[in-house]
Amino acid sequence: MAKALSLCVSAYCLHKFIIQQRNLINYDQRNLSNEVKFGSKIQSTLLTNRPDSFFKDKLVKIFTKEVYCQTKEDGGCTSCKKSCQSCDTDNENLEKTKKTWKEVNNSGKILKSKRMNALLTKIKSLTSSGKYTKEVDRAFLSAIRFAAEEKDLDTIIYVQGLWSNFCMYADNLGKAEILLKAMIQNLINSGLDTNDPDVIEASLKLATIYAHQGQHEMAESGYSWAIKSSQDRLKTLDKNCSEYQKTFKLLGMTLDSYSRYLYLSGKNEEALKLSNEALEVSLQLYGEESSQSMVLYNSIATIYTSMGNTEKALANVKHSYELCGSKGISNEERAVICHNYGYILSKVNRMSEANSKLTESLKYTKDNHLKKEINRLKSELDKKTH
């Protein structure tokens, strides 16, 4: 039950994020660097069996090795000093690839063209239903092909980001994985460092996909790598610069995501440690009365419930509930918090209060799955009190 509650919060937050990303697609002439953000993005750059067929002159195929380090029998990685596949790429060839892209890349100019605007408008229309169809697939591929023909790597990356976001929204995780791997490679080919925030963000999404797919070794490697990369980059930045804030925010998101994964894997102690670290980040970035901090207090309460520490669970969920009245908190977020509060109260036999919180949750939510779960729990409470 407690794990289902955590899944509910996690799924809701991911769903909300992807909807926000999809709603941002207005396709006007805004700064591309502000658009290419979270998530994103392989069999090849173009997601075809012949990635080089759309490239002319000096454009080259991207490499398609695994993103995260994997043990090899012969060992000998010269880049990260560990045995892996991903770091064994010849550094000279990688730099040559980056240089080639820089020489021909149109740096997002095609995104502002009439033809690309028409293609993206069509994509927006086709994806409005939330269903993944062959027409959606062809529309995205047409946009990437056009960008590739015009040698515009930034626009390719942008479209891959939109495409992978929609794949996650439509629960097409296999396709999203392929696109994310492609985008990571393209971001690096565009000249970004491997610990650049955009690369880390894409890797975080990829790790989340692995977690949902049950690829636990890859998921843990991805989460750990994203945390370490964020922490290493923060050490090199001035705390007053915008990139520091962006990277610090990314660290908080990664800590929270990894904590949820560890909790669902039954590793409560590790999950609690990371959730508390994520809360510290949230308090510094957003303050106490924010939706981020509210959700994190709720997550900590859920972990304590699973550990059998109902006193600390109640203290944290009560504080989370008190923050529900803050500005910027949605009704669906309030519903999830009230639901969890009601569940934890039921664990300490405070049935009347639990039922009241569950009724309040029903008032806030429009989610049919959450309504079903609330009504089921209310039915159980009624049986215990009669």
Side-chain angles (χ1 to χ4, degrees), residues 15 17-19 21-23 25 27 38-41 123-137 139-140 158-173 175-176 179-180 205:
H15 178 75
F17 169 75
I18 295 171
I19 288 177
Q21 291 294 303
R22 189 153 59 91
N23 289 342
I25 308 173
Y27 310 128
F38 200 104
S40 337
K41 324 175 186 162
I123 287 171
K124 185 176 182 180
S125 175
L126 290 171
T127 57
S128 61
S129 67
K131 297 180 180 179
Y132 198 94
T133 64
K134 291 182 179 179
E135 288 75 17
V136 168
D137 201 74
F140 273 115
Y158 175 74
V159 177
Q160 286 174 327
L162 299 181
W163 195 352
S164 64
N165 278 343
F166 182 71
C167 285
M168 294 182 74
Y169 176 82
D171 201 28
N172 191 342
L173 298 184
K175 177 80 77 173
L179 288 163
L180 281 162
K205 275 196 171 182

Side-chain angles (χ1 to χ4, degrees), residues 104-368:
V104 298
N105 187 17
N106 278 318
S107 303
K109 294 179 181 179
I110 300 305
L111 186 64
K112 303 175 183 179
S113 68
K114 290 183 179 180
R115 182 178 171 187
M116 181 57 73
N117 183 69
L119 288 167
L120 294 176
T121 300
K122 181 179 181 180
I123 287 171
K124 185 176 182 180
S125 175
L126 290 171
T127 57
S128 61
S129 67
K131 297 180 180 179
Y132 198 94
T133 64
K134 291 182 179 179
E135 288 75 17
V136 168
D137 201 74
R138 286 195 290 266
F140 273 115
L141 188 55
S142 294
I144 288 184
R145 283 177 173 172
F146 172 53
E149 288 168 358
E150 298 298 326
K151 305 172 184 177
D152 192 331
L153 183 58
D154 286 349
T155 299
I156 291 174
I157 293 169
Y158 175 74
V159 177
Q160 286 174 327
L162 299 181
W163 195 352
S164 64
N165 278 343
F166 182 71
C167 285
M168 294 182 74
Y169 176 82
D171 201 28
N172 191 342
L173 298 184
K175 177 80 77 173
E177 177 191 357
I178 291 171
L179 288 163
L180 281 162
K181 287 181 177 179
M183 184 176 176
I184 290 169
Q185 299 293 355
N186 287 340
L187 285 167
I188 294 172
N189 286 346
S190 71
L192 297 184
D193 295 329
T194 56
N195 67 346
D196 183 272
D198 288 337
V199 177
I200 298 172
E201 287 176 356
S203 297
L204 172 57
K205 275 196 171 182
L206 186 57
T208 303
I209 289 174
Y210 287 138
H212 280 275
Q213 291 175 334
Q215 298 189 54
H216 301 300
E217 184 178 348
M218 293 294 286
E220 293 201 19
S221 295
Y223 284 129
S224 298
W225 180 85
I227 290 173
K228 185 178 185 304
S229 296
S230 298
Q231 291 172 334
D232 289 345
R233 191 168 189 86
L234 286 170
K235 294 175 184 177
T236 68
L237 299 172
D238 186 326
K239 290 186 177 182
N240 296 318
C241 72
S242 60
E243 187 176 345
Y244 183 93
Q245 297 299 311
K246 179 180 179 180
T247 307
F248 196 41
K249 176 182 176 181
L250 178 57
L251 174 61
M253 293 172 64
T254 308
L255 290 167
D256 180 33
S257 184
Y258 195 13
S259 172
R260 295 178 190 279
Y261 169 74
L262 290 170
Y263 165 72
L264 293 171
S265 301
K267 300 177 180 180
N268 292 323
E269 294 287 349
E270 297 173 61
L272 182 61
K273 178 179 180 295
L274 293 181
S275 277
N276 278 312
E277 290 178 14
L279 177 59
E280 287 300 315
V281 173
S282 179
L283 292 174
Q284 290 186 51
L285 284 173
Y286 308 110
E288 183 82 5
E289 298 182 357
S290 64
S291 62
Q292 292 86 351
S293 297
M294 179 194 70
V295 169
L296 284 163
Y297 279 117
N298 182 68
S299 296
I300 291 170
T302 302
I303 297 171
Y304 274 127
T305 302
S306 185
M307 296 171 70
N309 192 334
T310 53
E311 182 180 352
K312 288 189 176 181
L314 276 172
N316 279 278
V317 77
K318 179 183 179 182
H319 191 51
S320 180
Y321 175 76
E322 290 169 347
L323 295 175
C324 281
S326 303
K327 293 182 179 180
I329 309 297
S330 72
N331 281 340
E332 289 299 334
E333 287 172 325
R334 292 187 178 99
V336 170
I337 302 304
C338 290
H339 178 206
N340 203 27
Y341 198 0
Y343 170 73
I344 295 174
L345 285 167
S346 72
K347 298 290 286 183
V348 293
N349 295 317
R350 291 163 60 174
M351 302 305 184
S352 178
E353 294 174 79
N355 194 60
S356 175
K357 291 296 181 287
L358 293 173
T359 300
E360 187 176 355
S361 182
L362 278 175
K363 181 181 73 174
Y364 288 128
T365 189
K366 294 182 180 180
D367 186 289
N368 290 328

Side-chain angles (χ1 to χ4, degrees), residues 367-383:
D367 186 289
N368 290 328
H369 294 292
L370 183 56
K371 286 181 179 179
K372 183 178 179 180
E373 175 57 28
I374 294 169
N375 286 322
R376 186 195 64 76
L377 185 53
K378 284 173 68 67
S379 178
E380 287 185 5
L381 294 181
D382 288 341
K383 290 178 182 179

